Structures are given as structure tokens and as C-alpha cells.
């Protein structure tokens, strides 16, 4: 089994949904979680994880960690030799996502409160991989600057999924997607 499929098998979506939404976990669409945010469509998450090309031992930043599902999937992919930091603006989701993540027994991953005036985690950079689960109006250069050598950023920008490779910020386009707005 490929690593992304294995991560999905080891990290059931239902465990990251509010109790009332768990019966819809198999639905291949976004589901509301709290604070006007969503748990992303599984097919979309699969696509972006494959674009991100995460390897064991890497340092990964998950911007807009929401329910903690993508953070937990990334933690499975990097394994205990790696680390994942999820950052989330909504305090209610920081608590919800952190509790969900704690149940996965992947202590190399954490979720913390994002500062409204700081995008990503410049103080913790560089990162090998950065995943953004919210739609930007334009390519967020501040996140590109947080990539390490051979780093990869995957971010939806104005409806198009972009994969940004470092060095040189090589940008490729990978289809059309809808996400909540990046704030």
C-alpha cells in the first residue's frame, strides 16, 4: 500500500468530526466543523498530500489545521523521526483539533494557536513541507520564505492548487479547488 493510502487507513476521518457529523464521514465533500470552517473533502486531501510528497523524518507545517485531521495524516507520513506543527486561528478549533490529535498517539505532532498577524511559523522555519488548507488570494511569499532547501509548499490560490518547489520557487498548477479563505 502506498504511504498516503496507509495514512488514510490509520487516520479515520470520523475521528476528527464533531459527534453529530460522524455519520457523514464517508461523504466525499467538505463537512462543517466549527467557527465557519470545514473538514476538507477526502479526495481533495488525498490530492494535496500526494502533491506535497511527504517523507519520513521531515519537518512539516500545517497551516489551517482545523479539526486536526490533516495534521494527523501528516504525522503518520513523517513518522516519529519527523515533526508536524499545525497552526490554527480559531481557538475553538485549536482545542478540538488538539484533542483529536492527542487520541492518535502521535506526539511528534502538535497544534497551536496561530497569531492573526503572522502567517505560518517564521520563527520555526525552515520546513521541508508546508500545507495550506485555506484559499489565498495570491501566492503567500511569507510561506515560500519558510521553505527549506528542496522544500515544497502546496497552497490553493484564487481557485487553483499550486505546488511551489524550492529552490527558486518553481510553481506548478494542479487543478481547481474551493477552500475557506486564508486569513
Amino acid at each position: 500500500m502506498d504511504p498516503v493510502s496507509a495514512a488514510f487507513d490509520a487516520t479515520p476521518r470520523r475521528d476528527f468530526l464533531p459527534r453529530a457529523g460522524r455519520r457523514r464521514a464517508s461523504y466525499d465533500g467538505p463537512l462543517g466543523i466549527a467557527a465557519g470552517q470545514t473538514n476538507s473533502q477526502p479526495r481533495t486531501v488525498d490530492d494535496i498530500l500526494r502533491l506535497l510528497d511527504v517523507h519520513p523524518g521531515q519537518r512539516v507545517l500545517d497551516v489551517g489545521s482545523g479539526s486536526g485531521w490533516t495534521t494527523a495524516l501528516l504525522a503518520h507520513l513523517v513518522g516519529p523521526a519527523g515533526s508536524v506543527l499545525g497552526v490554527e486561528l480559531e481557538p475553538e478549533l485549536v482545542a478540538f483539533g488538539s484533542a483529536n490529535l492527542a487520541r492518535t498517539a502521535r506526539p511528534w505532532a502538535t497544534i497551536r494557536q496561530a497569531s492573526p498577524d503572522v502567517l505560518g511559523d517564521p520563527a520555526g522555519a525552515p520546513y521541508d513541507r508546508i500545507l495550506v488548507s485555506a484559499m489565498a488570494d495570491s501566492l503567500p511569499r511569507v510561506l515560500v520564505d519558510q521553505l527549506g532547501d528542496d522544500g515544497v509548499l502546496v497552497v490553493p490560490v484564487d481557485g487553483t492548487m499550486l505546488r511551489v518547489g524550492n529552490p527558486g520557487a518553481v510553481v506548478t498548477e494542479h487543478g481547481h479547488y474551493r477552500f475557506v479563505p486564508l486569513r
Side-chain angles (χ1 to χ4, degrees):
M1 179 179 302
D2 73 90
V4 172
S5 295
F8 273 90
D9 285 352
T11 316
R13 184 187 196 198
R14 75 173 311 281
D15 296 347
F16 296 84
L17 295 172
R19 191 171 311 282
R22 290 181 183 165
R23 62 183 168 69
R24 298 193 64 212
S26 64
Y27 169 65
D28 191 27
L31 295 173
I33 46 177
Q37 305 303 302
T38 61
N39 178 279
S40 295
Q41 177 178 14
R43 185 174 18 151
T44 298
V45 175
D46 184 271
D47 289 349
I48 59 181
L49 289 177
R50 290 179 191 285
L51 283 174
L52 202 58
D53 190 31
V54 177
H55 298 280
Q58 290 185 320
R59 294 184 72 239
V60 180
L61 178 63
D62 185 19
V63 178
S65 56
S67 70
W69 188 40
T70 53
T71 308
L73 288 162
L74 291 163
H76 185 274
L77 291 167
V78 302
S83 66
V84 180
L85 172 61
V87 291
E88 172 58 53
L89 277 173
E90 297 294 336
E92 180 180 0
L93 290 179
V94 172
F96 181 61
S98 293
N100 293 337
L101 182 62
R103 287 191 297 275
T104 68
R106 298 175 191 160
W108 54 92
T110 58
I111 295 172
R112 76 169 189 230
Q113 179 75 44
S115 173
D117 55 344
V118 177
L119 184 55
D121 179 41
Y127 286 92
D128 298 306
R129 299 291 187 266
I130 301 175
L131 171 63
V132 182
S133 295
M135 184 79 67
D137 292 329
S138 61
L139 180 62
R141 298 300 305 185
V142 67
L143 290 177
V144 175
D145 293 344
Q146 293 174 43
L147 285 175
D149 294 340
D150 299 319
V152 174
L153 163 67
V154 174
V155 56
V157 175
D158 195 28
T160 301
M161 191 63 68
L162 301 182
R163 183 181 194 273
V164 183
N166 210 23
V170 177
V171 179
T172 54
E173 296 184 0
H174 299 273
H176 298 284
Y177 295 84
R178 290 180 46 192
F179 280 83
V180 296
L182 181 64
R183 298 180 285 133

